Amino acid sequence: MPDPAIAPYGSWKSPISSDLIVSDTIGLGQVEIDGSDVYWAEQRPSEAGRYVVVKRTAEGQIEDVTRPPYNARTRVHEYGGGAFAVANGIVYFSNYTDQRLYRADSGSEPRPVTPEVELRYADARVDAKRNILICVREDHNVEGREAVNTLAYVRLDGDEGGGTVIAFGNDFYSTPRLSPDGTRIAWLTWNHPNMPWDGTELWVADVAGDGSLSHQEQVTGGSDESIFQPEWSPDGLLHFVSDKTGWWNLYAVRDGQVEPLYPMQAEFGVPQWKFGYSTYAFIKPERIVCTIIERGFARLAL
């Protein structure tokens, strides 16, 4: 056994460095399901923090979808999150170095969908019927001006214009979610100085055949009510989390009326620092699996 090293107080160098601790620690996030395949994002310290979209098939085969030098990470709102979407085996992702959207078909090199301009994209959902990707778009094209956030759609086979704006006018947007039949869309929006856990608005609209919106309507929310994760049930009912009682609880919109699903002095939502957060999901039209935080402890529930 070697002799112990002796050094003045505060000068001893530990052989256990921060790099050693985190070098094999992979961050996991944004789980997406496409048919029988599961996709997720991995942040890999061994690759300088590169974000990789990974796929697992029903047979248990695991493969990287985004290989070097691609880095599936978005800078929208600077916090990022929600950097990729998947449908029918095709992955659409925001690449960190140029913030362009790319399309990754199985077995092919990713190809850009958007042009080389100062636009960023996040929190996308594929609308296969209209051949578009509906997402949050952030415009940095005018130097010296604050970035302009909107909802937009991008054509899946390439969009030289960088997308078409469909909702605008507020400082921030998030969580565009299409109804199961594709006829309606829900989203969140808010303004300075609020953060999304301070006050947000929940809006819905009809979606036309060309992707444009009509009959836009505010469902609930405001400057002092925080809405989290709007989601459509398999049978087309809009659900969301609201803190209107002081607790983030689940609600549904039925026949134009907002109904509490399961009132509790507990949290069914979390602060929305990034895009793509999810605390509940449907396993059937009348059944939800969710996370509940009660008295500081989180648990999974039905």
Side-chain angles (χ1 to χ4, degrees):
M1 181 175 179
D3 293 334
I6 299 174
Y9 179 79
S11 66
W12 182 73
K13 185 175 174 129
S14 173
I16 304 173
S17 66
S18 57
D19 288 343
L20 179 65
I21 293 172
V22 304
S23 60
D24 292 325
T25 304
I26 296 175
L28 302 174
Q30 195 184 340
V31 179
E32 303 285 350
I33 296 175
D34 180 43
S36 59
D37 298 330
V38 181
Y39 295 76
W40 65 89
E42 290 188 3
Q43 184 186 19
R44 298 177 178 173
S46 62
E47 299 183 39
R50 187 173 76 92
Y51 281 76
V52 184
V53 179
V54 183
K55 172 185 176 181
R56 184 186 190 278
T57 67
E59 295 73 34
Q61 296 177 323
I62 297 177
E63 63 175 300
D64 290 353
V65 176
T66 52
R67 302 181 185 278
Y70 299 102
N71 185 354
R73 182 180 175 190
T74 177
R75 290 187 59 195
V76 177
H77 294 184
E78 298 300 343
Y79 295 105
F84 76 93
V86 59
N88 301 319
I90 303 173
V91 174
Y92 304 88
F93 67 94
S94 176
N95 187 45
Y96 182 69
T97 53
D98 56 12
Q99 289 299 293
R100 298 171 75 183
L101 282 175
Y102 285 76
R103 171 175 175 158
D105 294 79
S106 180
S108 301
E109 184 74 7
R111 56 187 175 90
V113 177
T114 56
E116 292 185 89
V117 291
E118 293 296 320
L119 295 171
R120 304 174 184 178
Y121 307 88
D123 211 5
R125 285 296 182 269
V126 176
D127 182 354
K129 183 170 72 173
R130 299 176 182 85
N131 198 39
I132 59 176
L133 190 76
I134 300 176
C135 59
V136 177
R137 194 183 81 167
E138 192 172 76
D139 189 338
H140 290 256
N141 277 301
V142 179
E143 189 174 351
R145 180 193 70 182
E146 183 175 352
V148 177
N149 279 263
T150 58
L151 291 186
Y153 70 76
V154 174
R155 294 177 183 87
L156 297 182
D157 51 3
D159 198 317
E160 294 182 356
T164 300
V165 173
I166 55 176
F168 62 94
N170 289 340
D171 294 329
F172 302 100
Y173 290 84
S174 79
T175 331
R177 297 296 182 260
L178 276 171
S179 62
D181 62 4
T183 62
R184 307 202 79 201
I185 188 173
W187 69 90
L188 298 179
T189 183
W190 65 98
N191 288 295
H192 289 306
N194 274 348
M195 295 293 277
W197 51 84
D198 295 318
T200 50
E201 298 172 1
L202 172 61
W203 285 72
V204 295
D206 297 333
V207 187
D210 63 356
S212 61
L213 305 186
S214 62
H215 304 107
Q216 297 188 25
E217 175 188 3
Q218 183 178 345
V219 176
T220 189
S223 60
D224 58 358
E225 180 185 356
S226 174
I227 310 297
F228 175 84
Q229 195 191 341
E231 211 77 64
W232 301 88
S233 66
D235 56 352
L237 285 182
L238 180 60
H239 291 66
F240 60 91
V241 175
S242 168
D243 73 346
K244 65 168 65 180
T245 65
W247 301 91
W248 265 318
N249 276 197
L250 275 166
Y251 294 83
V253 181
R254 196 185 311 271
D255 298 326
Q257 300 298 314
V258 174
E259 301 178 356
L261 285 189
Y262 199 88
M264 286 184 67
Q265 290 188 351
E267 310 287 11
F268 288 75
V270 294
Q272 186 181 294
W273 283 101
K274 295 183 177 182
F275 293 105
Y277 282 175
S278 175
T279 59
Y280 72 94
F282 293 91
I283 53 177
K284 58 176 68 173
E286 70 283 358
R287 198 78 161 161
I288 288 175
V289 60
C290 60
T291 299
I292 300 174
I293 302 174
E294 188 176 20
R295 297 177 182 174
F297 294 95
R299 56 193 173 93
L300 202 60
L302 289 173

